[in-house]
Amino acid sequence: MTANMAWNIWNFRRPVFTELLQRGCRVTVLAPPDESIANLQDAGCSFVPLEMDVKGLNPIEDLKLVRAFRRHFLELRPDAVLSYTIKNNIFGALAARLAKVPFIPNVTGLGTAFLSGGMLQTVAELLYRSSYRNLPVVFFQNDDDRDLFLKRRLVRPGQTQLLPGSGIDLLRYAAAPLPAENQPPIFLMISRLLRDKGVYEYVEAAQRVKQRFPTVQFQILGAIGADNRTAIDATEVDAWKNEGLIEHLGTTDDVRPHIANAHCVVLPSYREGAPRTLIEGAAMARPLIATDVPGCRSIVDPDESGYLCEVRSGSSLAEACFRFLDLSYAEKMAMGTAGRRKMERQFDERIIIDSYFAALGKVVTGNPEIFATAPQKSVC
């Protein structure tokens, strides 16, 4: 399994690699090293460090990445490679073709290239079209991304398969009672502090809402200084904190206590695959507020489990917050319950696991059923 952070595999792909390990498969994680390595190894995975420039756009470095992937694939000789995140998907697929290794990418989002447009998007499309050309399966996490790839002829209809995000463990993320009615309302955004996640709009909304409701709290849970071109500087975050606009909660290995403490989970992102934070919030019966963009709109049922607002608009986000604050306590609980039921119907992690094992059986053996009964397969 490969991604641009070991943390990504540990936090978002655990159901898949856990099932692989339980069925006797050998799992190797190929990613840049971080603090998640020990967790992955304790779970039973092997780890191989991958050198890559996560945010750079240097063609020479990208060519080095293809060579690094090819070298690792030839050394590891996996029966299949499961890939996540943009660079790993594109350059890993090119290397897998050279190494003659089955490769299954998961398009978890389109990133800055598709948000920027112009030449950057043109180059990205050329790379996708070339790298995905002969792949038997390409997973997508929302209809919008899949339809865009089909429209731009980056993939063929027979290659695509839709997944409900990364799925959710409905027992681990159990519904939690809404905080008491007399407590000050808390909006919670769980995200790395990136411009493309809508942090600036979130802060603007906080400023607008607090003018009318000074006791309302706007919290952000996530890392500052992420390795990303749109990362927000710590000095800006400190200024917002000093002004009393937001509370930065830092990072955590377990978001559940923070979700349980909040009244509403917010994500004003510019574009997503299927945002895990919204799925987790809904599973724990929290109303949602998100932008009306690919990825987010697939999680939120407007006026039932939450509200959708305009992208890149702090004022629209503030209006959605006002609408939520105007609800009665019973209406807020009903909205959270509706979100939980949607997760139960559509986002159970079992759907993800079964889809991956069917795909693995198909690409490794030509028999969709055999991966369930043939142990000692090797997955990278």
Side-chain angles (χ1 to χ4, degrees):
M1 304 179 80
T2 183
N4 64 8
M5 292 187 294
W7 178 91
N8 183 292
I9 302 294
W10 173 250
N11 283 277
F12 299 151
R13 320 302 164 196
R14 202 178 313 174
V16 174
F17 77 65
T18 298
E19 187 80 9
L20 285 164
L21 291 167
Q22 288 176 349
R23 296 196 193 188
C25 298
R26 298 186 300 272
V27 178
T28 301
V29 174
L30 180 62
D34 57 34
E35 66 280 359
S36 301
I37 295 174
N39 290 331
L40 290 165
Q41 292 175 329
D42 289 344
C45 299
S46 299
F47 181 82
V48 175
L50 174 67
E51 291 187 15
M52 64 180 293
D53 182 357
V54 174
K55 63 180 180 179
L57 297 173
N58 187 322
I60 295 176
E61 293 300 317
D62 292 339
L63 180 59
K64 290 181 181 178
L65 181 59
V66 174
R67 290 173 176 168
F69 270 122
R70 180 176 180 271
R71 183 178 69 254
H72 287 304
F73 293 161
L74 289 173
E75 290 174 353
L76 295 167
R77 299 310 307 177
D79 292 291
V81 178
L82 308 183
S83 179
Y84 309 87
T85 68
I86 296 166
K87 281 197 172 188
N88 300 67
N89 285 351
I90 292 174
F91 300 115
L94 292 172
R97 184 190 306 164
L98 296 172
K100 295 181 171 53
V101 173
F103 190 88
I104 303 175
N106 187 319
V107 180
T108 55
L110 302 186
T112 305
F114 276 79
L115 294 174
S116 301
M119 182 57 68
L120 190 59
Q121 180 172 346
T122 300
V123 172
E125 290 186 1
L126 287 171
L127 289 169
Y128 273 119
R129 193 174 292 113
S130 174
S131 61
Y132 285 10
R133 185 174 59 221
N134 297 316
L135 298 181
V137 179
V138 179
F139 284 122
F140 291 85
Q141 296 198 354
N142 64 67
D143 289 313
D144 296 278
D145 287 352
R146 181 188 61 182
D147 293 347
L148 176 60
F149 270 55
L150 289 170
K151 180 180 180 182
R152 305 296 294 178
R153 297 184 179 179
L154 310 183
V155 292
R156 302 182 307 278
Q159 292 176 285
T160 68
Q161 187 170 340
L162 197 62
L163 295 177
S166 303
I168 189 73
D169 183 340
L170 292 167
L171 294 177
R172 177 175 171 79
Y173 290 88
L178 203 65
E181 188 172 5
N182 59 356
Q183 291 185 10
I186 296 176
F187 292 102
L188 174 64
M189 178 177 177
I190 307 173
S191 168
R192 292 174 295 161
L193 277 81
L194 308 177
R195 181 178 65 248
D196 291 351
K197 295 296 184 181
V199 173
Y200 286 119
E201 289 78 9
Y202 187 68
V203 174
E204 180 185 342
Q207 190 173 37
R208 291 172 179 267
V209 171
K210 281 177 168 291
Q211 290 175 356
R212 282 174 50 185
F213 300 98
T215 62
V216 173
Q217 299 177 45
F218 284 79
Q219 299 179 340
I220 301 182
L221 177 65
I224 301 175
D227 195 7
N228 187 287
R229 292 187 300 278
T230 71
I232 294 171
D233 191 86
T235 56
E236 283 192 274
V237 180
D238 288 338
W240 297 331
K241 290 163 55 180
N242 293 336
E243 196 175 343
L245 295 176
I246 65 162
E247 179 185 357
H248 181 236
L249 303 175
T251 60
T252 182
D253 291 331
D254 188 357
V255 300
R256 292 175 297 170
H258 296 286
I259 294 174
N261 193 50
H263 295 76
C264 180
V265 173
V266 182
L267 185 64
S269 179
Y270 296 175
R271 191 181 185 107
E272 292 286 330
R276 176 77 177 184
T277 60
L278 294 182
I279 294 171
E280 291 170 342
M284 292 187 66
R286 289 298 173 268
L288 308 175
I289 296 177
T291 38
D292 189 5
V293 297
C296 293
R297 68 168 69 106
S298 65
I299 311 298
V300 183
D301 289 334
D303 300 324
E304 293 183 23
S305 65
Y307 298 118
L308 293 174
C309 63
E310 297 174 17
V311 65
R312 302 175 188 260
S313 173
S315 61
S316 178
L317 177 57
E319 286 304 315
C321 293
F322 285 132
R323 290 182 66 187
F324 175 78
L325 293 170
D326 286 340
L327 294 175
S328 68
Y329 189 73
E331 288 172 327
K332 292 172 184 174
M333 288 194 296
M335 187 170 275
T337 299
R340 169 70 186 188
R341 289 174 178 167
K342 181 180 179 70
M343 296 303 104
E344 292 170 347
R345 292 194 309 271
Q346 301 177 21
F347 287 83
D348 191 319
E349 65 181 21
R350 194 72 238 171
I351 300 170
I352 310 296
I353 295 168
D354 291 345
S355 296
Y356 263 104
F357 273 84
L360 284 167
K362 179 179 178 181
V363 303
V364 175
T365 67
N367 181 348
E369 303 299 326
I370 201 168
F371 224 89
T373 59
Q376 297 307 310
K377 294 293 184 180
S378 175
V379 176
C380 177

Coordinates of all heavy atoms in Angstrom, one line a residue, residues 203-260:
V203 N -12.6 31.2 9.1 CA -12.3 32.3 10.0 C -13.2 33.5 9.7 O -13.6 34.2 10.7 CB -10.8 32.7 9.8 CG1 -10.5 33.9 10.7 CG2 -9.9 31.5 10.3
E204 N -13.4 33.8 8.5 CA -14.3 34.9 8.1 C -15.7 34.6 8.7 O -16.4 35.5 9.3 CB -14.4 35.1 6.6 CG -15.4 36.2 6.2 CD -15.5 36.4 4.7 OE1 -14.7 35.8 4.0 OE2 -16.5 37.0 4.3
A205 N -16.2 33.4 8.5 CA -17.5 33.0 9.1 C -17.5 33.2 10.6 O -18.5 33.7 11.2 CB -17.9 31.6 8.7
A206 N -16.5 32.8 11.3 CA -16.4 33.0 12.7 C -16.5 34.4 13.1 O -17.2 34.8 14.1 CB -15.0 32.4 13.2
Q207 N -15.8 35.3 12.4 CA -15.9 36.7 12.6 C -17.3 37.2 12.5 O -17.8 38.0 13.3 CB -14.9 37.4 11.7 CG -14.7 38.9 12.0 CD -13.6 39.5 11.1 OE1 -13.5 39.2 10.0 NE2 -12.8 40.4 11.7
R208 N -18.0 36.8 11.5 CA -19.4 37.3 11.2 C -20.3 36.8 12.3 O -21.2 37.5 12.8 CB -19.8 36.8 9.8 CG -19.1 37.6 8.7 CD -19.5 36.9 7.3 NE -18.9 37.6 6.2 CZ -19.5 38.6 5.5 NH1 -20.7 39.0 5.8 NH2 -18.9 39.1 4.5
V209 N -20.2 35.5 12.6 CA -21.1 34.9 13.6 C -20.9 35.4 15.0 O -21.9 35.7 15.7 CB -21.0 33.3 13.6 CG1 -21.8 32.7 14.7 CG2 -21.4 32.7 12.2
K210 N -19.7 35.6 15.4 CA -19.4 36.1 16.7 C -19.9 37.5 16.9 O -20.0 38.0 18.1 CB -17.9 36.0 17.0 CG -17.5 34.6 17.4 CD -16.0 34.5 17.6 CE -15.6 33.2 18.2 NZ -16.0 33.1 19.6
Q211 N -20.1 38.3 15.9 CA -20.7 39.6 16.1 C -22.1 39.6 16.6 O -22.5 40.4 17.4 CB -20.7 40.4 14.7 CG -19.3 40.7 14.2 CD -19.3 41.4 12.9 OE1 -20.3 41.5 12.2 NE2 -18.1 41.8 12.4
R212 N -22.8 38.5 16.3 CA -24.2 38.3 16.8 C -24.2 37.4 17.9 O -25.1 37.5 18.8 CB -25.1 37.8 15.6 CG -25.5 38.9 14.7 CD -26.3 38.3 13.5 NE -27.4 37.4 13.9 CZ -28.1 36.7 13.0 NH1 -27.9 36.8 11.7 NH2 -29.1 36.0 13.4
F213 N -23.4 36.4 17.9 CA -23.4 35.3 19.0 C -22.0 35.2 19.6 O -21.2 34.3 19.2 CB -23.9 34.0 18.4 CG -25.2 34.0 17.9 CD1 -25.4 34.1 16.5 CD2 -26.4 33.9 18.7 CE1 -26.7 34.2 16.0 CE2 -27.6 33.9 18.2 CZ -27.8 34.1 16.8
P214 N -21.6 36.1 20.5 CA -20.2 36.1 21.0 C -19.7 34.8 21.6 O -18.5 34.5 21.7 CB -20.2 37.3 21.9 CG -21.4 38.1 21.6 CD -22.4 37.1 21.1
T215 N -20.7 34.0 22.2 CA -20.3 32.8 23.0 C -20.0 31.6 22.1 O -19.5 30.6 22.6 CB -21.3 32.5 24.0 OG1 -22.6 32.2 23.4 CG2 -21.5 33.7 25.0
V216 N -20.4 31.7 20.8 CA -20.2 30.6 19.9 C -18.7 30.3 19.7 O -17.9 31.3 19.5 CB -20.9 30.8 18.5 CG1 -20.6 29.7 17.6 CG2 -22.4 30.9 18.7
Q217 N -18.3 29.1 19.7 CA -16.9 28.7 19.6 C -16.7 28.1 18.2 O -17.5 27.3 17.7 CB -16.5 27.7 20.6 CG -16.6 28.2 22.1 CD -16.3 27.2 23.1 OE1 -15.3 26.5 23.0 NE2 -17.1 27.1 24.1
F218 N -15.6 28.5 17.6 CA -15.1 27.9 16.3 C -13.8 27.2 16.5 O -12.8 27.9 16.8 CB -15.0 29.0 15.2 CG -16.3 29.4 14.7 CD1 -17.1 30.3 15.4 CD2 -16.8 29.0 13.4 CE1 -18.4 30.7 14.9 CE2 -18.0 29.4 12.9 CZ -18.8 30.2 13.6
Q219 N -13.8 25.9 16.5 CA -12.6 25.1 16.7 C -12.0 24.6 15.4 O -12.7 24.2 14.5 CB -12.9 24.0 17.7 CG -13.4 24.4 19.1 CD -13.7 23.3 20.0 OE1 -13.9 22.1 19.5 NE2 -13.7 23.5 21.3
I220 N -10.7 24.4 15.4 CA -10.0 23.8 14.3 C -9.1 22.7 14.9 O -8.2 23.0 15.7 CB -9.2 24.7 13.4 CG1 -10.0 25.8 12.8 CG2 -8.5 23.9 12.3 CD1 -9.3 26.8 11.9
L221 N -9.2 21.5 14.4 CA -8.4 20.4 14.8 C -7.6 19.9 13.6 O -8.1 19.4 12.6 CB -9.3 19.2 15.3 CG -8.6 17.9 15.8 CD1 -7.7 18.2 17.0 CD2 -9.6 16.8 16.1
G222 N -6.3 20.1 13.7 CA -5.4 19.7 12.6 C -4.1 20.4 12.6 O -3.8 21.3 13.3
A223 N -3.2 19.8 11.7 CA -1.8 20.3 11.8 C -1.6 21.6 11.1 O -2.2 21.9 10.0 CB -0.9 19.2 11.1
I224 N -0.7 22.4 11.7 CA -0.2 23.6 11.1 C 1.1 23.3 10.4 O 1.8 22.4 10.8 CB 0.1 24.7 12.1 CG1 -1.3 25.1 12.9 CG2 0.6 26.0 11.5 CD1 -1.1 26.0 14.0
G225 N 1.4 24.0 9.3 CA 2.7 23.8 8.6 C 2.8 22.5 7.8 O 3.8 21.9 7.7
A226 N 1.6 22.1 7.3 CA 1.6 20.8 6.5 C 2.5 21.0 5.3 O 2.7 22.1 4.8 CB 0.2 20.4 6.1
D227 N 3.0 19.9 4.8 CA 3.9 19.9 3.6 C 3.0 20.0 2.3 O 2.8 19.1 1.6 CB 4.7 18.6 3.5 CG 5.9 18.7 2.6 OD1 6.1 19.8 2.0 OD2 6.5 17.7 2.3
N228 N 2.5 21.3 2.1 CA 1.6 21.5 1.0 C 1.7 22.9 0.6 O 2.0 23.8 1.4 CB 0.1 21.2 1.5 CG -0.9 21.3 0.4 OD1 -1.2 22.4 -0.1 ND2 -1.4 20.2 0.0
R229 N 1.6 23.2 -0.7 CA 1.8 24.5 -1.3 C 0.8 25.5 -0.7 O 1.0 26.7 -0.8 CB 1.7 24.5 -2.8 CG 2.8 23.7 -3.5 CD 2.8 23.9 -5.0 NE 1.6 23.4 -5.6 CZ 1.4 22.1 -5.8 NH1 2.3 21.2 -5.5 NH2 0.3 21.7 -6.3
T230 N -0.4 25.1 -0.2 CA -1.4 26.0 0.2 C -1.4 26.1 1.8 O -2.4 26.5 2.3 CB -2.8 25.6 -0.3 OG1 -3.2 24.4 0.3 CG2 -2.8 25.4 -1.8
A231 N -0.4 25.6 2.4 CA -0.3 25.6 3.9 C -0.4 27.0 4.4 O 0.2 27.9 3.9 CB 0.9 24.9 4.4
I232 N -1.1 27.2 5.6 CA -1.2 28.5 6.2 C -0.2 28.6 7.3 O 0.1 27.7 8.1 CB -2.6 28.6 6.8 CG1 -3.6 28.7 5.6 CG2 -2.8 29.9 7.7 CD1 -5.1 28.6 6.1
D233 N 0.4 29.8 7.4 CA 1.5 30.0 8.3 C 1.1 30.1 9.8 O 0.0 30.5 10.0 CB 2.3 31.3 8.0 CG 3.5 31.5 8.7 OD1 4.6 31.0 8.3 OD2 3.5 32.1 9.8
A234 N 1.9 29.6 10.7 CA 1.5 29.6 12.1 C 1.3 31.0 12.6 O 0.5 31.1 13.6 CB 2.6 28.9 12.9
T235 N 1.9 32.0 12.1 CA 1.7 33.3 12.6 C 0.3 33.8 12.3 O -0.3 34.5 13.2 CB 2.7 34.3 12.0 OG1 2.6 34.2 10.5 CG2 4.2 34.0 12.3
E236 N -0.3 33.4 11.2 CA -1.7 33.8 10.9 C -2.6 33.1 11.9 O -3.5 33.7 12.4 CB -2.0 33.4 9.5 CG -1.5 34.3 8.4 CD -2.2 34.0 7.1 OE1 -1.7 33.1 6.4 OE2 -3.2 34.7 6.8
V237 N -2.3 31.8 12.2 CA -3.2 31.1 13.1 C -3.1 31.7 14.5 O -4.1 31.9 15.2 CB -2.7 29.6 13.2 CG1 -3.6 28.8 14.2 CG2 -2.8 29.0 11.8
D238 N -1.9 32.1 14.9 CA -1.7 32.8 16.2 C -2.5 34.1 16.3 O -3.1 34.4 17.3 CB -0.2 33.0 16.5 CG 0.5 31.7 16.8 OD1 -0.1 30.8 17.2 OD2 1.8 31.7 16.6
A239 N -2.5 34.8 15.2 CA -3.3 36.1 15.2 C -4.8 35.8 15.3 O -5.4 36.6 16.0 CB -3.0 36.8 13.8
W240 N -5.3 34.8 14.7 CA -6.7 34.5 14.8 C -7.0 34.1 16.2 O -8.1 34.4 16.8 CB -7.1 33.4 13.8 CG -6.9 33.7 12.4 CD1 -7.0 35.0 11.8 CD2 -6.6 32.8 11.3 NE1 -6.8 34.9 10.5 CE2 -6.6 33.6 10.1 CE3 -6.4 31.4 11.2 CZ2 -6.3 33.0 8.9 CZ3 -6.1 30.9 10.0 CH2 -6.1 31.7 8.8
K241 N -6.1 33.3 16.8 CA -6.4 32.9 18.2 C -6.3 34.0 19.1 O -7.2 34.2 20.0 CB -5.3 31.8 18.6 CG -5.4 30.5 17.9 CD -4.1 29.7 18.0 CE -3.6 29.5 19.4 NZ -2.4 28.6 19.4
N242 N -5.4 34.9 19.0 CA -5.3 36.1 19.8 C -6.5 37.0 19.7 O -6.9 37.7 20.7 CB -4.0 36.9 19.5 CG -2.7 36.1 19.9 OD1 -2.8 35.2 20.8 ND2 -1.6 36.4 19.3
E243 N -7.1 37.0 18.5 CA -8.3 37.9 18.3 C -9.5 37.2 18.8 O -10.6 37.8 18.9 CB -8.4 38.1 16.8 CG -9.3 39.3 16.4 CD -9.4 39.6 14.9 OE1 -8.4 39.1 14.2 OE2 -10.3 40.2 14.5
G244 N -9.4 35.9 19.2 CA -10.5 35.2 19.8 C -11.5 34.7 18.8 O -12.6 34.3 19.1
L245 N -11.0 34.6 17.5 CA -11.9 34.1 16.4 C -12.0 32.5 16.4 O -13.1 32.0 16.2 CB -11.4 34.6 15.1 CG -11.4 36.1 14.8 CD1 -10.8 36.4 13.5 CD2 -12.9 36.6 14.9
I246 N -10.9 31.9 16.7 CA -10.9 30.4 16.6 C -10.1 29.9 17.8 O -9.3 30.6 18.5 CB -10.2 29.9 15.3 CG1 -8.7 30.3 15.3 CG2 -11.0 30.3 14.1 CD1 -7.9 29.4 14.3
E247 N -10.3 28.6 18.1 CA -9.5 27.8 19.0 C -8.8 26.7 18.2 O -9.5 25.9 17.6 CB -10.4 27.3 20.1 CG -9.6 26.4 21.1 CD -10.5 25.8 22.1 OE1 -11.8 26.0 22.1 OE2 -10.0 25.0 23.0
H248 N -7.5 26.7 18.2 CA -6.8 25.7 17.5 C -6.5 24.5 18.5 O -5.8 24.7 19.5 CB -5.5 26.2 16.9 CG -4.7 25.1 16.2 ND1 -3.4 24.8 16.4 CD2 -5.1 24.3 15.2 CE1 -3.0 23.8 15.6 NE2 -4.0 23.5 14.9
L249 N -7.0 23.3 18.2 CA -6.9 22.2 19.1 C -5.6 21.3 18.9 O -5.4 20.4 19.6 CB -8.1 21.3 19.0 CG -9.5 22.0 19.2 CD1 -10.6 21.1 18.9 CD2 -9.6 22.6 20.6
G250 N -4.8 21.7 17.9 CA -3.6 20.9 17.6 C -4.0 19.7 16.9 O -4.8 19.7 16.0
T251 N -3.3 18.6 17.2 CA -3.5 17.3 16.5 C -3.8 16.2 17.5 O -3.6 16.4 18.7 CB -2.3 16.9 15.6 OG1 -1.2 16.7 16.5 CG2 -2.0 17.9 14.6
T252 N -4.4 15.1 17.0 CA -4.8 14.0 17.9 C -4.8 12.7 17.2 O -4.9 12.7 15.9 CB -6.1 14.3 18.5 OG1 -6.4 13.2 19.4 CG2 -7.2 14.4 17.5
D253 N -4.6 11.6 17.9 CA -4.8 10.3 17.3 C -6.2 9.8 17.3 O -6.5 8.8 16.7 CB -3.9 9.3 18.0 CG -2.4 9.5 17.8 OD1 -2.1 10.1 16.7 OD2 -1.6 9.2 18.6
D254 N -7.1 10.5 18.0 CA -8.5 10.1 18.2 C -9.4 11.3 18.2 O -9.4 12.1 19.1 CB -8.6 9.3 19.5 CG -10.0 8.7 19.6 OD1 -10.8 8.9 18.7 OD2 -10.2 8.0 20.6
V255 N -10.1 11.5 17.1 CA -10.9 12.7 16.9 C -12.3 12.6 17.6 O -13.0 13.6 17.8 CB -11.2 13.0 15.4 CG1 -9.9 13.3 14.7 CG2 -12.0 11.9 14.8
R256 N -12.6 11.4 18.1 CA -13.9 11.1 18.6 C -14.3 12.0 19.8 O -15.4 12.6 19.8 CB -14.1 9.7 19.0 CG -14.1 8.7 17.8 CD -14.1 7.3 18.2 NE -12.9 6.9 18.9 CZ -12.8 5.8 19.6 NH1 -13.7 4.9 19.6 NH2 -11.6 5.5 20.2
P257 N -13.4 12.2 20.8 CA -13.8 13.1 21.9 C -14.1 14.5 21.5 O -15.0 15.2 22.0 CB -12.6 13.1 22.8 CG -11.9 11.8 22.5 CD -12.1 11.6 21.0
H258 N -13.4 15.0 20.4 CA -13.6 16.4 19.9 C -15.0 16.5 19.2 O -15.7 17.5 19.3 CB -12.5 16.8 19.0 CG -11.2 16.9 19.8 ND1 -10.9 17.9 20.6 CD2 -10.1 16.1 19.8 CE1 -9.7 17.8 21.1 NE2 -9.2 16.6 20.6
I259 N -15.3 15.4 18.4 CA -16.6 15.4 17.7 C -17.7 15.4 18.7 O -18.7 16.1 18.6 CB -16.6 14.2 16.7 CG1 -15.6 14.4 15.6 CG2 -18.1 14.1 16.2 CD1 -15.5 13.2 14.7
A260 N -17.6 14.5 19.7 CA -18.6 14.4 20.8 C -18.8 15.7 21.5 O -20.0 16.0 21.9 CB -18.2 13.3 21.7

